[in-house]
Amino acid sequence: MRILIIGGGGMVGQKLAHNLALSGTLGNRKIAELTLADAFAAQTLSSTANFPIKTVVADITNPVIAQSLITNKPDVIFHLAAVVSGEAEANFEKGYSVNVEGIKNILEAIRLTGNGYMPRLVFTSSVAVYGGPYPEIIHDDFHLQPRTSYGTQKAISELLVNDYSRRGFVDGVSLRLPTICVRPGKPNKAASGFFSNILREPLVGIEAILPASKSATNYFASPRSAVGFLVHAANLDTSVLGDNRAMMMPGVWGTVGDEIDALRRVAGDEIVALIKDEPDPVIEKMLSNWNFPDITSARARALGFKAENTLDEIIQVHIDDELDGKIPGRSK
């Protein structure tokens, strides 16, 4: 089978590619070719695969380029590419161009290929599609009322995936991802980035800025879980989904204070002391539009999607996967 990862140069795309390279299969099918497409050159995978891996620089806001990605008819397409939340809010036109026109161009390229071509498309949506006022718990049938441009763009994209799937052009699944935490590497432009920063930097002995209140809430899952969601979705029997191809992925609800408490339990007071409060009104305003309650994710859980159960587990996954099981920021 042929696999295309759009957004293959990003953190989740790279981790997914490594997973596929190591396994050599997706479900019970052998991988014949993997293509990583992104707006910039994706780094070469360090793991050895028994199939060719290609990297392509591609601007999916250009319909001709989007069509070129579908020329060899990939069997599975992971659409991970996006302008993240903070940047989508700051640059309105870019957010809609990439986050809405990009997925529409890919869907149109699939439709226009025709001749019975109907690949599995796994699209990464976001918890940001929700907006208040919230009930005590968000259930699967809770309405979408996003209060940011990013959330609106993701909600529009979900509807496109639903409609193209209903019409038989594509076999789509939209995964509403929790905030992925702890993100390795450097901070990005996501408004939610600090949820990772306040854990990642202290664990390696670097001060981290906390720009929001400790009462701010979010819904979390690790990068390892994110890859698991994507692989599971690629193998899912979509006939059980009906016309609604979108679902909220499992995760762990918590406040910033809960994150800090978990970090203290896992790594100690010395590490927690590296977190410095510096309120940022812009970040705090955006967070007030989220302020999520707990989310059941019952539909996804019933279909076999799995994530961590505690913030302590999420932090330990980061230590194991990114820090070789050690905490370098802690003095001997």
Side-chain angles (χ1 to χ4, degrees):
M1 70 185 313
R2 291 183 291 273
I3 298 174
L4 168 64
I5 304 177
I6 301 171
M11 183 273 292
V12 174
Q14 286 282 294
K15 286 187 174 292
L16 173 61
H18 278 286
N19 177 283
L20 297 174
L22 289 171
S23 67
T25 61
L26 185 58
N28 58 4
R29 301 176 66 184
K30 284 189 175 182
I31 299 171
E33 179 182 273
L34 173 61
T35 301
L36 310 181
D38 214 311
F40 58 89
Q43 70 182 79
T44 303
L45 296 183
S46 58
S47 55
T48 301
N50 59 2
F51 52 83
I53 299 176
K54 301 191 302 183
T55 59
V56 178
V57 177
D59 176 6
I60 59 171
T61 66
N62 183 322
V64 175
I65 293 176
Q67 182 69 58
S68 72
L69 294 176
I70 308 302
T71 300
N72 69 340
K73 297 183 179 180
D75 301 284
V76 176
I77 301 168
F78 295 98
H79 188 106
L80 318 180
V83 170
V84 294
S85 54
E87 188 176 7
E89 201 68 16
N91 192 332
F92 185 82
E93 291 182 355
K94 183 177 180 181
Y96 272 89
S97 178
V98 175
N99 294 348
V100 177
E101 290 304 317
I103 182 67
K104 185 174 185 295
N105 287 340
I106 293 297
L107 290 168
E108 273 294 278
I110 294 168
R111 182 181 73 86
L112 294 173
T113 298
N115 296 319
Y117 175 57
M118 191 174 74
R120 172 64 53 86
L121 183 142
V122 181
F123 170 69
T124 48
S125 185
S126 168
V127 67
V129 298
Y130 298 121
Y134 295 111
E136 290 186 4
I137 298 177
I138 294 177
H139 294 281
D140 287 310
D141 58 355
F142 185 64
H143 65 272
L144 305 188
Q145 187 62 43
R147 298 177 67 185
T148 63
S149 293
Y150 176 73
T152 301
Q153 291 151 14
K154 288 294 187 178
I156 292 169
S157 300
E158 284 186 12
L159 292 175
L160 288 171
V161 172
N162 282 354
D163 199 37
Y164 277 72
S165 296
R166 180 184 66 84
R167 295 296 300 270
F169 302 132
V170 70
D171 184 12
V173 186
S174 296
L175 309 181
R176 295 173 187 155
L177 296 184
T179 290
I180 302 304
C181 183
V182 179
R183 295 183 68 94
K186 297 180 180 179
N188 64 15
K189 295 182 180 180
S192 60
F194 79 88
F195 287 105
S196 285
N197 302 349
I198 62 171
L199 304 176
R200 182 184 59 238
E201 270 72 21
L203 285 169
V204 293
I206 300 172
E207 283 192 358
I209 300 302
L210 173 56
S213 165
K214 292 183 177 66
S215 63
T217 64
N218 214 320
Y219 196 59
F220 306 96
S222 72
R224 185 193 294 177
S225 288
V227 171
F229 299 155
L230 292 164
V231 171
H232 190 64
N235 296 305
L236 191 67
D237 176 5
T238 55
S239 67
V240 302
L241 299 180
D243 288 340
N244 182 8
R245 297 301 186 100
M247 66 191 107
M248 185 66 218
M249 292 294 99
V252 179
W253 179 89
T255 66
V256 171
D258 292 333
E259 279 193 282
I260 294 171
D261 289 342
L263 183 63
R264 181 176 283 109
R265 288 191 294 270
V266 174
D269 291 335
E270 177 186 2
I271 297 299
V272 169
L274 292 167
I275 302 172
K276 308 300 180 184
D277 291 332
E278 286 188 19
D280 182 329
V282 174
I283 295 294
E284 290 192 320
K285 181 179 179 181
M286 188 170 290
L287 290 177
S288 71
N289 292 328
W290 299 345
N291 197 30
F292 302 113
D294 202 356
I295 304 175
T296 62
S297 304
R299 189 182 187 209
R301 292 180 189 275
L303 292 172
F305 291 92
K306 298 177 181 179
E308 294 78 18
N309 295 309
T310 67
L311 289 168
D312 301 53
E313 289 178 59
I314 287 175
I315 294 170
Q316 191 61 53
V317 165
H318 177 73
I319 293 169
D320 292 343
D321 289 359
E322 308 297 334
L323 304 177
D324 296 324
K326 304 173 184 176
I327 304 175
R330 189 160 56 192
S331 60
K332 304 298 182 185

